[in-house]
Amino acid sequence: MQSSQQKCDLYKDNDEFNQKYKFIKSKNLNKVDSYVHLLSRIRNDKNMAFKITTLSNNTFEQPSFNEINSSNQNTKEQNNILSSDTMSLDYHPLEWNIDKSEGFGTLGTNSFKRQEQLLMRDLLYILSGIEGKYIRVQKTENAVKFILDSSTDINLSGIVNNILVIGEHYSDVVRYIEWSNTNNSLVNQALVAAIRKHHLKYLTMISHLEELLMKNQLFLQQMNYILLPFIHTISFLSDITKTIYRNQCYGGPILTVLHEKIMAIKSGPTVVFDLGLALIRQACVPYFEILKDCYMDDTFLNNEGEEDHFDQRFKIVSDKIPTFIKKYETIIYKTGKYQTFIKQLMANQRKLVTNNDIGNQNNQDNLPIETDLDLSYSLCEATYATSILSIHEKASSLLLRILLHESSLIETFNAGKHYMLCSKADFINSFICKTKNILKCKQIDLPRYTKKSLETIMLNEIDNSVNSIDRSFWKNENVQIEYIDQTLSNQLELINQSSEFKYLGVEKNSIYCYESFTLKFEVAFPLSQIYTKKSIIYYKLLFRFIFLLRYAQIQLEDEHKSTSMVLKWNPKNDDNIKFNALLRKSSILRFKMINLIRNLHHYFMSQVIEIKFEQFLSKVAKCSSSIDAVIEYHEKCLQDCFQDCFLSNKDISSLIINLLDCIQMFHSSEVNNNFNEFEYDFMLKSVEQSCQQFDSLMMQLFKHLNNDSRIECRFVARLLDFNNFYVDLYN
């Protein structure tokens, strides 16, 4: 352009020169700028101008017409392919309007050399994504096929078909690149950027072939040889892009496809394997950055301090996670969760673990949160596993230190044991004694104000109990009572069948208040992260079971006291002889029931709950180094209590609950002083039926306890039948 401007300045009429220059360019001639540059150099270089002038003045012998005609005949076929309307460097394929039926099927009418030249021209078009004249495109739903002119020489068609395979693969790659431009997936865009690097090499090779063809230095066999190294790589790219496009993959599934393809060609060509590694490594960069930004960014903090905000914002979608980090999905999720909680605590307290109770020796550990999540793809899991596990351990350990020293974790565990597991159950006894008449009512018949009064009574009893010091570790100031619309036996049966720790179904028939009664168990953030849903359900099930034992025991003991007073002060006359005999028989049965409940309650509280919790607290104080370990120890402790209380054993737990139901039925048939002969027979029959039913259930219970191989079951069987009464009865 600079040379043309110089020539324009030397010309007398600048406008006329510019018009002629633009006219020549509009004719789409090759290398117009080069010709103008040559003229400019001739005008500026006097020596070159002198030599050209001298040569132009010399006379040359003009060739004859026959010689010119003979030369044109020899070169006509070779030069015809280089006509300016097709292979010009300024050619725009979208402006090429031809009739697709023109010329197709006539390739065989040309000579062999002419066919080769025309096919190479069409092949370059096909390899660039343009339909040729003698090679046509047939589009299907999921692929592109090429139809070669049937009149092609058989010696050329085999080589052409081999090269057309590259064109089919190339069309699949281009289709994926164009589809990826319509979505906002960062992983897709990163993969396309990596493919374009290889695509650039491919287009460079096509340009080299075009140059050789224009210089008449290319033949079909040579073209096939030059394209040979690209067959494996373009086939690999086609396989990947077809799979992604067919499944409409976004994000993690794309990385899964790449990983699976790489593992499949691990023993294949080195060039293809290296290309696959380069693609997946570049595609993994935005995915790992998303993990880091989402789990480490301060914008995801909840200033209101809700403990479940992280679970509401994030969840694990397994089918969107790459297979090579799928085993670490829970760890990555927990790491982000712990990091967010630590930042939230730091934002609330404006400091990190600076409590004086920690001591000066731990001040060096008060480091900022670890956020250097350096992840990169590798065939070796240790490359990214080390980084994931290291940050997870640091976050878990730091959060545990905060909970232990600033959030009174041990005291909260003790409060949960005192309230929900009734280790200090004086408030339960007082509450039952004051509300036993209300608890006999059905839940559906209980008015709202009565339920509110029950909460008030419970609150007063807790304030007057030895557990009042634990009130500061509960989230709510007022203790709330919860009613479960399902009996304990049905709930245990459903849980043991489904192995899911949640409340399943609603019972159609209404149940009594004492059967559905439980306490609402809530712990303030951040300690609520240790009390998982599974552990809370363990607490509620154990509380309901112990509450039923306490309720039955208090009822039997109160009735036993009243019966003893009647036997002591009732006059010994003929009218009261039968009545006293009936009372003694019912007292014997009642005493057996009390013995059962007292022994079971003593075993559950002293031999199971106290021992398991002492072991758990000892592990927390000595062995735990992370919050994950504490959660695991806590759930294991509750699970052991659940099993050792026989609640996980369907047969034994159902028998114990049936025994409690038998006790309630026996207690409901009260004996009074005023009776006649008919009432005596009825009550005697009722007591005898209750005695037979109770003994039968006890025999079944001993049978299951003795058949169990665990030592605990044998111990309980011996504890309940210390005088071999039921053994002798069975024999």
Side-chain angles (χ1 to χ4, degrees):
M1 202 60 167
Q2 185 178 1
S3 300
S4 64
Q5 186 64 35
Q6 293 176 0
K7 191 66 179 176
C8 179
D9 294 340
L10 295 173
Y11 201 79
K12 294 181 180 180
D13 191 353
N14 293 344
D15 295 336
E16 183 181 357
F17 177 84
N18 287 328
Q19 291 177 1
K20 290 184 177 181
Y21 178 78
K22 293 179 180 179
F23 175 77
I24 295 173
K25 286 293 292 182
S26 66
K27 292 299 183 181
N28 210 18
L29 296 178
N30 267 338
K31 302 181 180 178
V32 175
D33 290 335
S34 301
Y35 296 146
V36 174
H37 178 69
L38 177 60
L39 293 175
S40 177
R41 288 189 60 186
I42 293 173
R43 181 68 182 81
N44 295 332
D45 193 341
K46 296 181 180 181
N47 294 330
M48 184 180 295
F50 175 76
K51 292 180 181 180
I52 293 174
T53 304
T54 304
L55 291 173
S56 64
N57 293 331
N58 295 334
T59 58
F60 294 94
E61 183 180 355
Q62 297 294 332
S64 64
F65 177 78
N66 294 332
E67 291 176 348
I68 295 175
N69 188 31
S70 176
S71 176
N72 289 338
Q73 289 293 334
N74 293 332
T75 60
K76 183 178 180 180
E77 292 183 357
Q78 298 179 359
N79 293 335
N80 189 37
I81 192 66
L82 303 178
S83 60
S84 62
D85 63 334
T86 57
M87 293 306 296
S88 169
L89 293 180
D90 296 329
Y91 166 67
H92 300 286
L94 296 179
E95 299 175 3
W96 185 29
N97 297 321
I98 64 171
D99 185 5
K100 289 190 175 183
S101 62
E102 181 184 355
F104 189 76
T106 63
L107 182 63
T109 60
N110 298 288
S111 64
F112 182 85
K113 183 65 177 177
R114 175 67 174 166
Q115 288 186 41
E116 184 180 20
Q117 293 292 325
L118 293 173
L119 287 173
M120 285 192 295
R121 182 198 66 172
D122 277 11
L123 284 173
L124 289 177
Y125 287 150
I126 293 296
L127 295 177
S128 301
I130 305 170
E131 187 176 22
K133 185 176 182 180
Y134 302 101
I135 303 175
R136 297 299 170 85
V137 176
Q138 182 181 12
K139 295 183 179 180
T140 60
E141 184 177 357
N142 297 321
V144 172
K145 299 295 181 182
F146 298 106
I147 303 175
L148 179 62
D149 193 316
S150 59
S151 63
T152 305
D153 191 288
I154 192 172
N155 296 317
L156 298 174
S157 60
I159 301 176
V160 172
N161 287 327
N162 290 338
I163 298 176
L164 287 179
V165 174
I166 299 178
E168 294 176 2
H169 294 329
Y170 177 74
S171 65
D172 294 332
V173 176
V174 172
R175 179 181 61 180
Y176 168 71
I177 293 175
E178 293 175 351
W179 171 75
S180 297
N181 294 332
T182 62
N183 64 74
N184 298 323
S185 172
L186 295 179
V187 177
N188 257 325
Q189 296 176 11
L191 178 59
V192 169
I195 291 177
R196 286 189 183 277
K197 294 181 180 179
H198 184 77
H199 186 221
L200 180 61
K201 298 179 182 178
Y202 174 83
L203 294 179
T204 304
M205 181 268 301
I206 297 297
S207 300
H208 176 63
L209 292 176
E210 289 180 354
E211 184 178 1
L212 292 177
L213 181 61
M214 294 178 65
K215 292 180 179 179
N216 238 359
Q217 298 176 358
L218 183 66
F219 52 92
L220 194 58
Q221 190 66 38
Q222 179 187 6
M223 185 180 185
N224 185 34
Y225 179 78
I226 294 175
L227 291 171
L228 194 61
F230 287 86
I231 292 178
H232 294 296
T233 54
I234 199 71
S235 174
F236 176 70
L237 290 176
S238 174
D239 188 20
I240 291 174
T241 54
K242 283 171 61 178
T243 304
I244 297 174
Y245 179 79
R246 182 173 60 252
N247 298 325
Q248 299 290 300
C249 297
Y250 297 90
I254 294 179
L255 303 180
T256 298
V257 171
L258 291 172
H259 177 72
E260 292 175 351
K261 299 297 183 183
I262 289 174
M263 298 305 295
I265 63 168
K266 197 172 182 180
S267 58
T270 306
V271 178
V272 179
F273 183 72
D274 293 341
L275 174 63
L277 283 179
L279 293 179
I280 193 171
R281 283 172 178 168
Q282 186 164 345
C284 281
V285 171
Y287 187 85
F288 289 144
E289 286 296 326
I290 290 173
L291 285 181
K292 182 177 179 179
D293 293 341
C294 289
Y295 291 149
M296 311 300 174
D297 195 353
D298 292 337
T299 59
F300 289 91
L301 296 180
N302 188 331
N303 295 326
E304 297 179 359
E306 296 179 2
E307 62 270 19
D308 58 347
H309 73 279
F310 191 90
D311 295 327
Q312 293 175 355
R313 293 172 184 262
F314 300 101
K315 66 177 181 178
I316 298 177
V317 184
S318 297
D319 57 344
K320 299 295 184 181
I321 298 176
T323 54
F324 52 87
I325 61 171
K326 194 173 184 64
K327 62 185 296 186
Y328 301 104
E329 61 182 15
T330 304
I331 297 178
I332 295 175
Y333 181 82
K334 288 183 178 180
T335 302
K337 191 174 184 178
Y338 297 160
Q339 296 276 26
T340 304
F341 292 158
I342 293 172
K343 286 186 177 182
Q344 185 168 344
L345 292 173
M346 291 172 60
N348 293 338
Q349 301 174 3
R350 301 296 180 184
K351 58 183 178 180
L352 186 67
V353 192
T354 56
N355 198 304
N356 295 329
D357 296 337
I358 299 179
N360 296 329
Q361 68 276 12
N362 291 333
N363 289 338
Q364 296 179 355
D365 299 332
N366 300 334
L367 300 176
I369 303 174
E370 182 68 39
T371 59
D372 188 15
L373 187 62
D374 186 15
L375 296 177
S376 60
Y377 176 80
S378 174
L379 295 176
C380 180
E381 288 188 1
T383 303
Y384 41 82
T386 302
S387 178
I388 292 174
L389 295 176
S390 175
I391 296 179
H392 175 74
E393 291 175 359
K394 291 180 181 178
S396 180
S397 177
L398 182 57
L399 182 58
L400 177 62
R401 288 173 50 217
I402 295 176
L403 298 182
L404 282 174
H405 299 286
E406 294 191 0
S407 298
S408 305
L409 179 61
I410 302 299
E411 291 79 0
T412 305
F413 284 139
N414 286 325
K417 184 184 71 169
H418 296 161
Y419 282 108
M420 299 303 297
L421 302 184
C422 305
S423 62
K424 296 182 179 179
D426 56 331
F427 71 97
I428 291 293
N429 295 342
S430 302
F431 175 78
I432 293 175
C433 291
K434 294 181 179 180
T435 61
K436 57 184 178 181
N437 293 329
I438 301 177
L439 294 176
K440 293 178 182 179
C441 301
K442 288 189 176 182
Q443 178 187 343
I444 194 173
D445 298 332
L446 208 63
R448 182 179 299 178
Y449 67 88
T450 305
K451 293 181 179 180
K452 190 65 178 177
S453 65
L454 288 177
E455 291 183 354
T456 304
I457 295 173
M458 176 63 75
L459 179 62
N460 293 333
E461 296 303 325
I462 290 178
D463 288 337
N464 296 328
S465 71
V466 295
N467 291 335
S468 59
I469 59 174
D470 298 324
R471 287 291 306 283
S472 59
F473 305 112
W474 277 51
K475 180 178 180 180
N476 296 333
E477 294 182 358
N478 297 327
V479 177
Q480 297 182 2
I481 295 176
E482 187 176 1
Y483 299 94
I484 308 299
D485 295 329
Q486 198 170 35
T487 61
L488 180 60
S489 58
N490 290 344
Q491 188 181 359
L492 290 175
E493 183 179 358
L494 291 172
I495 289 175
N496 291 329
Q497 287 178 356
S498 62
S499 299
E500 295 182 4
F501 286 84
K502 60 183 181 180
Y503 295 121
L504 303 174
V506 177
E507 199 162 278
K508 296 181 179 179
N509 299 325
S510 178
I511 59 177
Y512 293 97
C513 289
Y514 70 87
E515 293 180 296
S516 63
F517 182 88
T518 186
L519 292 180
K520 200 169 188 178
F521 186 58
E522 293 184 358
V523 181
F525 176 83
L527 293 179
S528 57
Q529 303 308 313
I530 294 181
Y531 288 84
T532 61
K533 293 181 179 179
K534 182 178 180 180
S535 63
I536 289 177
I537 293 181
Y538 272 135
Y539 274 115
K540 289 186 176 181
L541 290 172
L542 290 169
F543 177 85
R544 293 186 68 186
F545 184 60
I546 296 172
F547 183 83
L548 288 178
L549 290 175
R550 289 275 188 171
Y551 181 76
Q553 180 181 351
I554 291 175
Q555 280 190 320
L556 290 174
E557 289 177 349
D558 291 345
E559 186 63 28
H560 182 71
K561 291 179 182 179
S562 62
T563 303
S564 300
M565 294 298 294
V566 171
L567 288 173
K568 182 177 180 181
W569 300 104
N570 204 27
K572 296 181 180 180
N573 51 38
D574 294 337
D575 295 334
N576 293 328
I577 292 177
K578 291 183 178 181
F579 179 73
N580 292 338
L582 180 60
L583 290 180
R584 289 188 179 89
K585 184 172 291 189
S586 63
S587 297
I588 294 173
L589 176 58
R590 190 180 298 108
F591 184 77
K592 290 195 295 183
M593 294 177 175
I594 293 174
N595 177 71
L596 169 67
I597 294 178
R598 284 180 176 177
N599 286 326
L600 284 177
H601 185 267
H602 170 76
Y603 170 75
F604 294 151
M605 299 306 301
S606 62
Q607 301 295 325
V608 177
I609 294 176
E610 287 293 339
I611 294 178
K612 298 298 181 184
F613 248 85
E614 285 298 326
Q615 295 174 354
F616 160 64
L617 295 178
S618 177
K619 287 181 180 180
V620 172
K622 296 180 180 179
C623 305
S624 60
S625 59
S626 65
I627 194 171
D628 292 319
V630 174
I631 294 175
E632 181 182 357
Y633 295 155
H634 187 217
E635 291 185 353
K636 184 64 169 58
C637 171
L638 294 174
Q639 184 179 0
D640 291 342
C641 293
F642 191 78
Q643 291 177 352
D644 291 348
C645 290
F646 310 119
L647 296 180
S648 61
N649 190 313
K650 178 181 177 181
D651 296 328
I652 297 178
S653 62
S654 61
L655 283 171
I656 293 176
I657 295 175
N658 288 338
L659 283 167
L660 295 177
D661 292 339
C662 178
I663 292 173
Q664 293 299 328
M665 292 177 62
F666 170 71
H667 177 72
S668 62
S669 58
E670 296 182 355
V671 181
N672 51 58
N673 285 327
N674 300 321
F675 71 99
N676 52 36
E677 192 70 22
F678 174 76
E679 291 176 343
Y680 171 79
D681 295 336
F682 174 77
M683 287 185 287
L684 179 61
K685 184 178 180 180
S686 175
V687 172
E688 290 177 349
Q689 287 180 352
S690 299
C691 185
Q692 291 177 1
Q693 183 182 5
F694 182 81
D695 291 339
S696 176
L697 291 173
M698 288 294 294
M699 295 299 297
Q700 296 179 39
L701 177 61
F702 284 118
K703 180 180 178 180
H704 285 89
L705 289 174
N706 291 323
N707 290 337
D708 200 309
S709 59
R710 291 184 298 170
I711 300 177
E712 293 82 1
C713 294
R714 303 292 180 87
F715 176 78
V716 173
R718 185 61 182 170
L719 182 66
L720 297 179
D721 192 22
F722 60 91
N723 58 354
N724 294 330
F725 172 80
Y726 291 102
V727 173
D728 296 338
L729 183 63
Y730 178 78
N731 293 331

